[in-house]
Amino acid sequence: DAGITQSPRYKITETGRQVTLMCHQTWSHSYMFWYRQDLGHGLRLIYYSAAADITDKGEVPDGYVVSRSKTENFPLTLESATRSQTSVYFCASSDPGEAFFGQGTRLTVV
Amino acid sequence: GENVEQHPSTLSVQEGDSAVIKCTYSDSASNYFPWYKQELGKRPQLIIDIRSNVGEKKDQRIAVTLNKTAKHFSLHITETQPEDSAVYFCAATGGGGSYIPTFGRGTSLIVHP
């Protein structure tokens, strides 16, 4: 399917576990982003990538790791999940210009 | 880096009224200003955008205005309908050659039938 897809859509994990959220886009957009959405905070940038093998920190990068070995994939890893990382995570891509968002992943850390 | 302030955080209107959401940005080099609508449980989607060489843009009931001197831009929705109820986000992009959108905190628009 064309577009940008995230998996899983929902995830419950325990504190201290490692979890990876996947993001795949079919447009070959150069830019990809990870945002977290929390009530009262809007969309906060975690990490972004301008091209394959180029990544950089955003506003709230602590506790997260990203990689981009291929243009189409941009996984986000929580190295040791904490309750404060309970959130809705959105991946997005752009050409640049308009950002296209994935469906989101609702992550709950218990 | 860029900082985007968005007001109000909540806006309640009667069906048929107009709604205005305002955003200010800090980086005078920003040159692309999109607006996204996010319905409950859905992803944000672009509804309108404006570039810094344009002062106003309209698309049916939606318009965006940009004041580069004052560094603020606004979303105007006329003849609101219940299906306009959603969270709206503004963003600023392009400052210093950066293509990273910086978002405002969002406005929850409620349109009462």
Side-chain angles (χ1 to χ4, degrees):
Chain A
D1 288 342
I4 181 166
T5 55
Q6 294 181 231
S7 62
R9 293 292 313 279
Y10 304 92
K11 176 75 176 178
I12 300 174
T13 192
E14 295 179 337
T15 301
R17 289 200 180 261
Q18 182 181 85
V19 60
T20 296
L21 310 184
M22 305 301 292
C23 179
H24 175 78
Q25 53 111 350
T26 61
W27 295 302
S28 298
H29 284 168
S30 56
Y31 276 79
M32 295 189 76
F33 312 93
W34 275 106
Y35 290 91
R36 60 177 289 174
Q37 185 173 28
D38 305 288
L39 198 63
H41 292 278
L43 294 160
R44 290 185 292 175
L45 182 66
I46 304 170
Y47 269 95
Y48 69 96
S49 169
D53 297 322
I54 300 174
T55 63
D56 209 346
K57 296 178 180 179
E59 180 186 356
V60 289
D62 292 345
Y64 303 94
V65 175
V66 294
S67 62
R68 197 166 176 206
S69 57
K70 293 184 178 181
T71 300
E72 61 265 32
N73 297 324
F74 191 39
L76 175 74
T77 298
L78 287 67
E79 297 181 294
S80 178
T82 65
R83 289 198 179 93
S84 65
Q85 293 176 310
T86 292
S87 187
V88 178
Y89 292 84
F90 284 100
C91 177
S93 70
S94 72
D95 203 22
E98 175 185 354
F100 295 85
F101 287 84
Q103 321 96 302
T105 295
R106 183 175 293 276
L107 177 68
T108 303
V109 183
V110 298
Chain B
E2 176 68 276
N3 183 51
V4 177
E5 299 284 340
Q6 182 172 349
H7 298 281
S9 56
T10 306
L11 180 59
S12 182
V13 301
Q14 290 295 128
E15 182 177 358
D17 288 350
S18 294
V20 180
I21 303 170
K22 299 182 179 181
C23 290
T24 60
Y25 61 99
S26 60
D27 190 341
S28 58
S30 289
N31 56 19
Y32 176 63
F33 306 92
W35 286 88
Y36 294 84
K37 176 183 180 181
Q38 185 181 27
E39 297 177 348
L40 191 62
K42 301 288 182 64
R43 72 188 84 186
Q45 292 189 294
L46 182 78
I47 54 170
I48 195 167
D49 55 12
I50 191 167
R51 297 193 180 272
S52 58
N53 57 348
V54 175
E56 183 176 3
K57 184 177 179 181
K58 288 184 180 180
D59 183 3
Q60 299 182 349
R61 297 186 295 109
I62 294 173
V64 58
T65 59
L66 172 65
N67 183 326
K68 287 171 53 181
T69 303
K71 289 188 284 188
H72 69 68
F73 56 113
S74 300
L75 177 71
H76 305 254
I77 306 175
T78 58
E79 300 173 22
T80 54
Q81 301 168 3
E83 51 265 39
D84 294 329
S85 297
V87 177
Y88 292 81
F89 291 98
C90 63
T93 310
S98 163
Y99 296 105
I100 304 158
T102 300
F103 287 88
R105 292 193 175 192
T107 296
S108 177
L109 174 64
I110 303 166
V111 181
H112 299 281

